[in-house]
Amino acid sequence: AREDYVEMIPGVPSKVYTYNGSVPGPLIRGNVGDTLIVHFTNNLPEPTTIHWHGLRLPADMDGSSVAQTPIQPGDSFTYKFELTEASLFWYHPHVRSNEQVEKGLAGALLVKERKQDLAKEIRKAKQKILVIDDVLLDEDGQVEAAFTGTMEEVLLKKINGRDGNTLLVNGSEMPTMYVKSGEPVRWRMVNIANNRFMRVVVPGHKLTRIGGDGGLLETPIEDLDDVFLVSGQRADIMFVPKGKPGSELIVYWKDTTRGRHSIDIMDNGMVMMGDDEMDGNYPDIPLMRLVFEKNYKPARELNLPEDLRTIEPIDITGAAETTLKFGHSMPMANGTVKFLINGKTFGEVTPADAPDAQVGETQVWNLVNMTGGDHPFHLHGFFFQVLETVYKDENGNVLEVVPAPPLENVDMVNLPARRGPPGAMSMVKIAITFDPAEGLTGADIAANGGVAVIEDADLGIGQRGRSGGWQFHCHILEHADGGMMSYVEVFQ
Ligand SMILES: [Cu+2]
């Protein structure tokens, strides 16, 4: 990683942080069973790590702040682990992530399916990786420092997360992509934005989602008007473009209701938090230009099989339950607000607060959102499955129970805003198996030039294979860095 100049807006060099000189970082491709070796040298002016988002890997290769002491400027570290699962993953720092990711440190990692595991229609489709981002650029095209502006603006950026003003696909604003009418495309999408949720619309086209965080779905989900990605999430979609040769189509971003707030600091120093009346109705933003190439085929339907893959539902019989409450303190006129899990910021979490698990154990986690805004939850290193979402009012009465979505292995789920005044809540129930990832080679952080954070002496656990500390947090990076982060201790 190093500082460099890239053009996100044509002709305007922006000083950014890069992996190998590009934003996003290089696309890493591999096959299931490959060992990925990344020789990393930190030439940034500050410490950093690389976290491998979504990958089931040894604890000491996870790159989080409970896995690894940050790599100092000038130092090197070798990440080495096996790729166990086919999907689109991504990588980014886990140190001051809200600044470092915003400045350009993120890239996609594609672990390919075996050809024989793919239906012909998927195999033959034209595949594109779309790394979708937004950055907040100042008048000179430079990435703005976090939390600039008036105290009200600072609090808004903390409470609502920091949206950018420039949407990027694979590092460029409004890139052009060529498609052929009648020829299926497969888009592998990852939302690497700090905060912005991406609802992507291809006008005049219905989309079919065939996969997500954890690879293929069991059954395609058809007839979608858009594809929706919270920050950090992935989607695997297909559709058959239809359009006249030479014609253009503007793929655009569409807003989502996500519980944005308004902030007023009164003359007496009181901070009033209200609802942002524009929430869900911010104007569409063009994202990408599709141009139809000359050879025209008549439009046709996708021809996908019903069964893409078998996913075993996690058996929760006898599973221990853990409840985690996501909240924040009242924002203060001096611009401070704390983001909390079970009443504590990450800096305040002690080993006694961290949930425990055994390698191989299955647990049910109740993820309770006590706030008026959405929080995309991410667990490092393990897939989970969503069981249900329950909304309760301020008196504890159940307002709605949303049953499990189609079965899928994920590493992210959006915790929707509560419906009602303080005291109301939403609760997303998930099942996690702290899987041993059999056959995964145990890594040795010291042998790779690194320093472990969690050692036997401190916590009674070491980072051996899957045992160790695994972070979970809100993937709105302003919230994560503001404290909405904790970790689970997994014992061998
Ligand atoms: Cu959040």
Side-chain angles (χ1 to χ4, degrees):
R2 62 171 190 261
E3 276 187 299
D4 214 328
Y5 288 89
V6 300
E7 288 186 11
M8 294 184 278
I9 300 170
V12 181
S14 305
K15 192 178 185 187
V16 293
Y17 283 1
T18 72
Y19 293 120
N20 289 0
S22 70
V23 172
L27 171 65
I28 300 173
R29 290 169 191 267
N31 296 301
V32 174
D34 286 355
T35 295
L36 176 66
I37 302 173
V38 175
H39 300 289
F40 177 72
T41 300
N42 180 10
N43 287 324
L44 299 170
E46 59 175 310
T48 192
T49 60
I50 307 181
H51 165 58
W52 306 92
H53 183 123
L55 286 141
R56 297 150 76 232
L57 35 64
D60 54 3
M61 293 291 118
D62 186 53
S64 82
S65 57
V66 297
Q68 180 177 16
T69 302
I71 303 157
Q72 297 302 311
D75 283 359
S76 294
F77 181 76
T78 300
Y79 290 96
K80 181 179 173 187
F81 49 86
E82 203 176 311
L83 305 173
T84 64
E85 199 86 12
S87 191
L88 180 66
F89 302 100
W90 64 296
Y91 58 96
H92 63 82
H94 229 277
V95 176
R96 295 198 332 116
S97 57
N98 102 68
E99 294 264 25
Q100 294 193 358
V101 175
E102 176 77 2
K103 278 190 164 179
L105 292 181
L109 194 171
L110 180 68
V111 185
K112 290 177 273 189
E113 296 91 356
R114 297 182 306 172
K115 282 212 165 61
Q116 63 267 34
D117 292 341
L118 285 179
K120 189 177 170 196
E121 184 83 326
I122 304 176
R123 211 167 56 227
K124 298 254 169 176
K126 182 121 180 150
Q127 177 169 279
K128 291 277 183 198
I129 311 286
L130 302 181
V131 180
I132 307 176
D133 193 5
D134 80 338
V135 284
L136 188 55
L137 299 179
D138 64 18
E139 289 168 356
D140 302 322
Q142 302 307 311
V143 178
E144 272 202 21
F147 312 133
T148 54
T150 64
M151 272 309 153
E152 281 169 354
E153 287 166 341
V154 166
L155 281 175
L156 279 174
K157 286 174 182 171
K158 289 185 177 176
I159 288 283
N160 292 336
R162 181 162 53 127
D163 273 346
N165 52 12
T166 307
L167 269 72
L168 303 172
V169 178
N170 297 338
S172 301
E173 192 179 27
M174 268 299 274
T176 296
M177 185 192 292
Y178 292 90
V179 291
K180 290 177 181 175
S181 192
E183 290 193 3
V185 293
R186 179 186 188 191
W187 286 359
R188 315 292 300 269
M189 306 163 85
V190 51
N191 177 3
I192 67 165
N194 276 26
N195 174 57
R196 186 183 290 276
F197 295 176
M198 302 290 176
R199 187 178 294 285
V200 177
V201 181
V202 184
H205 290 73
K206 293 285 186 184
L207 309 176
T208 298
R209 190 160 79 85
I210 62 168
D213 293 347
L216 293 174
L217 301 173
E218 289 203 300
T219 307
I221 303 173
E222 296 171 334
D223 269 333
L224 301 171
D225 292 323
D226 53 58
V227 54
F228 179 62
L229 296 164
V230 293
S231 32
Q233 208 167 25
R234 283 87 69 210
D236 187 352
I237 63 150
M238 289 186 69
F239 66 97
V240 185
K242 49 178 190 291
K244 291 200 178 71
S247 68
E248 287 186 7
L249 198 58
I250 303 298
V251 175
Y252 66 91
W253 172 93
K254 191 176 168 59
D255 197 20
T256 300
T257 305
R258 52 177 287 180
R260 293 182 184 90
H261 294 292
S262 62
I263 291 281
D264 275 310
I265 302 178
M266 318 296 276
D267 289 339
N268 63 5
M270 288 276 290
V271 178
M272 304 292 287
M273 216 170 64
D275 297 328
D276 176 352
E277 286 172 8
M278 287 289 286
D279 187 37
N281 292 306
Y282 279 92
D284 299 342
I285 306 173
L287 193 61
M288 188 167 68
R289 178 180 285 108
L290 295 188
V291 176
F292 288 89
E293 288 184 309
K294 290 281 181 274
N295 62 335
Y296 179 82
K297 288 181 188 169
R300 66 167 178 87
E301 300 281 304
L302 273 178
N303 180 21
L304 290 168
E306 272 287 289
D307 297 326
L308 298 176
R309 172 198 184 186
T310 303
I311 298 173
E312 290 299 326
I314 295 175
D315 179 3
I316 57 166
T317 312
E321 291 204 24
T322 292
T323 296
L324 298 161
K325 293 183 174 175
F326 292 71
H328 60 72
S329 65
M330 278 302 294
M332 309 283 278
N334 65 2
T336 58
V337 53
K338 285 179 168 187
F339 289 87
L340 309 163
I341 297 178
N342 285 354
K344 293 194 172 181
T345 63
F346 180 63
E348 295 162 352
V349 170
T350 66
D353 301 312
D356 291 346
Q358 294 288 326
V359 173
E361 184 187 357
T362 292
Q363 294 190 357
V364 170
W365 284 14
N366 300 311
L367 307 172
V368 176
N369 184 354
M370 304 192 298
T371 79
D374 289 8
H375 299 285
F377 170 86
H378 171 51
L379 170 65
H380 288 207
F382 300 91
F383 289 135
F384 57 86
Q385 294 173 358
V386 176
L387 301 174
E388 65 175 17
T389 303
V390 181
Y391 292 90
K392 289 183 182 173
D393 70 12
E394 66 277 22
N395 300 313
N397 300 313
V398 173
L399 296 170
E400 190 188 353
V401 178
V402 182
L407 188 61
E408 182 178 4
N409 289 328
V410 293
D411 54 65
M412 301 221 47
V413 64
N414 189 33
L415 311 183
R418 67 172 191 241
R419 293 176 185 167
M425 64 172 201
S426 75
M427 183 176 83
V428 178
K429 213 180 234 303
I430 62 171
I432 312 165
T433 296
F434 293 93
D435 68 284
E438 292 295 352
L440 200 68
T441 337
D444 182 343
I445 198 164
N448 293 305
V451 181
V453 174
I454 294 181
E455 276 305 341
D456 298 11
D458 299 334
L459 294 172
I461 56 172
Q463 293 168 204
R464 307 283 181 273
R466 300 289 272 166
S467 74
W470 297 92
Q471 279 180 328
F472 54 86
H473 56 90
C474 175
H475 223 290
I476 294 173
L477 298 179
E478 291 74 24
H479 292 180
D481 287 355
M484 197 177 266
M485 179 152 71
S486 185
Y487 65 99
V488 51
E489 289 174 37
V490 179
F491 295 84
Q492 191 69 55

